[in-house]
Amino acid sequence: MSTHIGAKPGEIAERVLMPGDPLRAKWIAETYLEGAECYSTVRGMLGFTGRWKGVDVSVQGSGMGMPSASIYAHELVNEYGVKTLIRVGSCGALREDLQLRDVIAAIGSSTDSNMNRMRFDGLIDYAPVADFGLLRTAVEVAERQGVTMHVGPILAADAFYTDRPDLYDTLADYGVLAVEMESAALYTIAARFKARALTVLTVSDHIKTGEKTTSAEREQTFSQMVEIALDTIIA
Ligand SMILES: O=P(O)(O)O[C@H]1O[C@H](CO)[C@@H](O)[C@H]1O
Ligand SMILES: O=c1cc[nH]c(=O)[nH]1
């Protein structure tokens, strides 16, 4: 067991999908993974291992925000030997050309988090980016599955409820597609500890139009994103 994950050694696969929502993890495991078994219920942050197309895959909830996601990514890589992490999350669209339920792959992640400023002493604006091989595979998989996947930069924000919506407009002007809350930390930790990471997202709400999905839909219906992530992680 690690501090926050209750799995025994060997119970977590080298390939892990990471949704923020632990109940999305349960839905993914029960819907897609053959022989899925729950390896951790610590803090209700559920984790499961099963097989996708004959390959061992785990799915681990990460919680909301970079402090929480960092704990799970760190322990998965450093204490369980995980090599590949694909976040499967929800996000708010910043640009009008995006629709509810569109799928996005995050090539890079800007952030307002202070974590990397601390890491680099405030001297470097580190650019957290996806693993290129994983991203290329995800693009190929999405094409094969007939899903239009938007590939571009996103924002990983510390706050879900922002006092500065004007900054979202500015970021959209600079090509940033959407906002979520974990990708910059995931990419940074993967780089630091020599793992591979990618973030694939579904637009759950639209910052410009105010449209939104329900929490039940965010938990159980983002299947295109999950199927792209699953076929990518075993490729
Ligand atoms: O749906 P998940 O994966 O949790 O991702 C998004 O949803 C949460 C906010 O509602 C944040 O964790 C954000 O990153
Ligand atoms: O972090 C998130 C996730 C979904 N929608 C948002 O606006 N922010």
Side-chain angles (χ1 to χ4, degrees):
M1 281 183 58
S2 62
T3 306
H4 302 91
I5 301 174
K8 298 190 195 75
E11 286 187 332
I12 302 181
E14 284 189 1
R15 301 166 166 89
V16 179
L17 298 195
M18 284 183 86
D21 180 355
L23 293 180
R24 190 180 311 132
K26 183 169 188 279
W27 171 72
I28 292 169
E30 289 174 351
T31 306
Y32 291 99
L33 299 185
E34 190 190 324
E37 296 211 7
C38 181
Y39 59 71
S40 185
T41 59
V42 175
R43 292 175 179 249
M45 201 56 67
L46 304 174
F48 302 82
T49 299
R51 281 173 307 287
W52 172 248
K53 299 185 178 176
V55 179
D56 286 350
V57 173
S58 297
V59 52
Q60 171 66 56
S62 72
M64 290 184 280
M66 286 175 266
S68 180
S70 296
I71 288 172
Y72 293 98
H74 184 104
E75 292 182 16
L76 287 170
V77 172
N78 290 299
E79 304 208 32
Y80 292 98
V82 170
K83 307 275 187 240
T84 308
L85 295 149
I86 301 186
R87 168 164 156 67
V88 281
S90 63
C91 66
L94 299 182
R95 287 179 17 162
E96 279 166 15
D97 55 344
L98 291 166
Q99 313 287 323
L100 227 50
R101 294 185 170 278
D102 277 0
V103 178
I104 292 173
I107 192 167
S109 178
S110 299
T111 186
D112 57 12
S113 160
N114 212 34
M115 292 172 92
N116 281 353
R117 288 184 202 128
M118 286 177 66
R119 274 193 178 90
F120 295 102
D121 244 357
L123 298 172
I124 302 287
D125 288 331
Y126 178 73
V129 293
D131 177 81
F132 176 69
L134 277 181
L135 179 59
R136 181 167 55 184
T137 301
V139 169
E140 289 164 0
V141 166
E143 278 170 9
R144 214 163 48 231
Q145 294 182 358
V147 177
T148 301
M149 185 171 71
H150 306 268
V151 178
I154 62 168
L155 171 70
D158 270 347
F160 182 85
Y161 298 105
T162 183
D163 281 337
R164 294 294 306 272
D166 56 308
L167 288 178
Y168 286 176
D169 291 336
T170 306
L171 284 164
D173 287 343
Y174 280 78
V176 175
L177 300 176
V179 55
E180 51 83 84
M181 300 175 66
E182 292 82 18
S183 55
L186 176 64
Y187 288 176
T188 302
I189 288 168
R192 171 71 180 81
F193 298 110
K194 314 283 182 278
R196 305 189 306 156
L198 177 65
T199 292
V200 185
L201 303 167
T202 302
V203 175
S204 59
D205 49 279
H206 206 296
I207 305 293
K208 301 302 289 180
T209 66
E211 296 166 278
K212 55 170 93 160
T213 52
T214 65
S215 53
E217 288 171 329
R218 292 171 202 217
E219 183 183 310
Q220 301 213 350
T221 69
F222 291 168
S223 46
Q224 288 185 332
M225 160 183 85
V226 173
E227 288 163 21
I228 290 168
L230 282 167
D231 276 356
T232 299
I233 211 164
I234 64 165

